[in-house]
């Protein structure tokens, strides 16, 4: 039927047109999916960082130390034997003795070593988290700077466009004899300064790209672009609360506090080893003159010559030193966080100044002059931009 054929043809054309219209959006979605986000860049940087790889091995080492400290006996048992052959008038007599001894700590040294090993493991994990945070923050800072530079470049392009349009108006006024060539050159110099600033921003963008490649260990996947999207910026009140929160959860503070606990436990461990730290318990079996003897023995060191005075003094100094370091770390962390947040605020204010103040005002002024000129309210010679 001709009517049905026309309908099918129209539907087919409509479908092809819809497919053609949808093709750019599919390409845009595919391009967007192929771009690397900030989270992707941070994952690549962590995976390729050599310091992080070494700290992961330090965790394995600390786990081995914890396993060693958890042994019930710190030393292996000792076995000893003695054989004697005595000559008697009628026959030879074989005498022998066997003994096994084990050192037993009685002042809680095993508990101290376990706690120290756990803290060393905790410190290794904190160091790993700190290094990951440093790497991710470096990527974030460079990414944020690059994003800000891209937006600043776009702002300069818009500003340059406005200034070029102003230059056209001033050129017409100069031809009409309304302004001098000096005024025209002033506008040209403004446009050249904006172009120069735009080139400087391009150089800064190139430098940030090199920094980012260095952090990623030149491991940027080929054929993928970076999706530069400016992160949401919190208000100033939120930043103050964030500074307090970061100061409480600062890894440097946690590591310094862990070092203080380790120093305290080391001091207690050394003190426990001064007076009667351990005893050696032995089981003895012997045979002499065909008589069997079974018994035991206990021995322990006498604290006469080595009272560990030097070790205790050294451990006490390390404990006091760790306390001083913890206090300094807390003060330094608060100062650095406050300085970082102030810098971040200034960058955000600079970006808003260009995007919300300078460019809109210049564009509004030019649009008003153009509207008044089109409505016949002013002549070209009286158009002041």
């Amino acid at each position: 039927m001709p009517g049905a054929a026309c309908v099918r043809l129209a539907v087919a054309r409509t479908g092809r047109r819809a497919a053609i219209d949808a093709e750019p959006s599919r390409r845009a979605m595919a391009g967007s999916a192929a771009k690397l986000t900030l989270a992707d860049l941070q994952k690549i940087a962590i995976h390729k960082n050599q310091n992080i790889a070494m700290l992961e091995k330090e965790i394995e080492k600390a786990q081995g130390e914890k396993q060693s400290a958890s042994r019930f006996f710190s030393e292996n048992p000792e076995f000893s034997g003695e054989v004697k052959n005595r000559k008697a008038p009628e026959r030879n007599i074989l005498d022998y003795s066997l003994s096994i001894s084990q050192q037993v700590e009685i002042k809680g040294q095993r508990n101290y070593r376990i706690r120290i090993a756990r803290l060393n493991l905790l410190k290794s994990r904190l160091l790993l988290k700190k290094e990951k945070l440093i790497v991710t923050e470096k990527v974030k800072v460079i990414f944020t700077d690059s994003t800000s530079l891209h937006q600043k470049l776009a702002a300069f392009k818009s500003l340059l466009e406005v200034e070029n349009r102003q230059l056209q108006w001033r050129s017409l006024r100069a031809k009409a004899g309304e302004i001098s060539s000096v005024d025209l050159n002033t506008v040209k110099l403004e446009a050249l300064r904006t172009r120069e600033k735009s080139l400087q921003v391009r150089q800064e963008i190139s430098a940030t790209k090199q920094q980012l490649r260095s952090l990623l260990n030149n491991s940027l996947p080929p054929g993928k672009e970076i999706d530069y999207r400016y992160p949401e910026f919190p208000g100033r009140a939120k930043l103050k609360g964030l500074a307090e929160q970061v100061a409480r959860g600062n890894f440097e503070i946690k590591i310094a506090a862990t070092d203080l606990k380790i120093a305290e436990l080391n001091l207690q461990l050394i003190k426990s080893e001064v007076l009667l730290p351990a005893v050696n318990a032995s089981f003895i079996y012997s045979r002499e003159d065909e008589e069997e003897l079974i018994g035991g023995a206990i021995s322990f060191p006498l604290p006469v010559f080595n009272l560990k005075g030097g070790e205790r003094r050294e451990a006490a100094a390390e404990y006091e030193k760790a306390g001083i370091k913890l206090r300094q770390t807390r003060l330094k962390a608060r100062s650095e966080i406050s300085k970082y947040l102030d810098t971040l605020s200034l960058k955000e204010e600079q970006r808003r100044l260009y995007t919300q103040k300078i460019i809109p005002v210049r564009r509004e002024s030019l649009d008003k002059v153009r509207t008044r000129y089109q409505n016949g309210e002013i002549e070209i010679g009286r158009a002041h931009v």
Side-chain angles (χ1 to χ4, degrees), residues 326-344:
L326 176 59
R327 291 190 292 270
Q328 288 181 341
T329 304
R330 285 173 176 165
L331 294 174
K332 183 179 177 182
R334 292 182 180 276
S335 175
E336 290 181 350
I337 291 169
S338 178
K339 181 180 177 181
Y340 172 78
L341 293 177
D342 289 340
T343 303
L344 194 62

Side-chain angles (χ1 to χ4, degrees), residues 349-364:
E349 290 176 5
Q350 184 181 17
R351 184 187 71 88
R352 289 180 178 176
L353 178 64
Y354 276 97
T355 57
Q356 299 179 9
K357 298 292 184 181
I358 297 178
I359 296 176
V361 170
R362 300 285 292 271
R363 182 178 287 115
E364 181 183 2

Side-chain angles (χ1 to χ4, degrees), residues 72-230:
F72 190 78
F73 292 111
S74 61
E75 302 293 338
N76 288 324
E78 293 184 4
F79 175 81
S80 62
E82 184 179 0
V83 178
K84 296 179 181 179
N85 188 8
R86 292 188 295 114
K87 292 184 178 180
E90 298 179 356
R91 59 187 177 84
N92 292 337
I93 301 175
L94 184 64
D95 298 333
Y96 62 88
S97 65
L98 304 173
S99 67
I100 184 170
S101 63
Q102 175 66 54
Q103 186 186 65
V104 181
E105 295 173 327
I106 59 175
K107 299 292 285 295
Q109 294 94 326
R110 176 177 176 268
N111 184 37
Y112 288 131
R113 282 195 294 268
I114 291 176
R115 292 169 65 185
I116 292 173
R118 287 175 178 172
L119 288 173
N120 282 325
L121 179 58
L122 174 62
K123 180 181 177 181
S124 298
R125 288 172 176 168
L126 288 173
L127 288 172
L128 178 61
K129 290 181 179 180
K130 172 193 168 185
E131 188 65 26
K132 287 183 178 180
L133 180 63
I134 290 174
V135 172
T136 54
E137 285 300 314
K138 284 182 178 179
V139 174
K140 185 186 294 183
V141 169
I142 294 176
F143 181 87
T144 305
D145 289 343
S146 184
T147 303
S148 178
L149 289 171
H150 277 83
Q151 294 193 1
K152 187 184 290 187
L153 180 61
F156 276 126
K157 287 181 179 179
S158 300
L159 183 59
L160 188 60
E161 179 184 353
V162 173
E163 290 179 346
N164 287 333
R165 291 162 65 184
Q166 288 181 343
L167 183 59
Q168 293 176 1
W169 284 99
R170 295 294 177 91
S171 299
L172 293 175
R173 293 183 64 191
K175 290 180 180 179
E178 294 292 330
I179 61 174
S180 64
S181 59
V182 176
D183 295 333
L184 182 61
N185 289 333
T186 301
V187 179
K188 288 182 179 179
L189 285 175
E190 290 181 1
L192 289 175
R193 290 193 190 99
T194 304
R195 190 181 298 274
E196 181 183 5
K197 291 179 180 179
S198 177
L199 292 175
Q200 291 177 355
V201 171
R202 289 180 183 273
Q203 292 177 354
E204 293 177 6
I205 289 176
S206 178
T208 55
K209 284 183 179 180
Q210 293 298 327
Q211 294 175 2
L212 186 59
R213 288 184 179 274
S214 176
L215 278 176
L216 300 179
N217 200 12
N218 294 323
S219 301
L220 194 64
K224 284 193 174 184
E225 299 180 356
I226 298 175
D227 184 13
Y228 290 107
R229 294 185 184 180
Y230 201 83

Side-chain angles (χ1 to χ4, degrees), residues 307-319:
L307 296 178
K308 294 186 178 293
E311 290 87 342
R312 283 185 292 170
R313 187 174 181 179
E314 181 181 355
E318 286 293 334
Y319 176 66

Side-chain angles (χ1 to χ4, degrees), residues 7-65:
V7 172
R8 286 196 296 270
L9 181 59
V11 171
R13 288 179 178 176
T14 304
R16 285 197 298 270
R17 188 178 295 109
I20 293 173
D21 293 339
E23 185 63 24
S25 62
R26 283 199 296 266
R27 290 179 181 177
M29 291 176 62
S32 177
K35 289 185 178 181
L36 295 172
T37 62
L38 173 60
D40 296 331
L41 296 175
Q42 289 173 335
K43 289 179 182 179
I44 295 173
I46 289 175
H47 180 68
K48 295 296 182 178
N49 190 272
Q50 298 300 316
N51 290 334
I52 291 178
M54 288 190 293
L55 289 173
E56 288 175 347
K57 296 301 179 182
E58 287 292 330
I59 290 180
E60 295 181 8
K61 176 184 175 182
Q63 289 174 341
E65 292 176 352

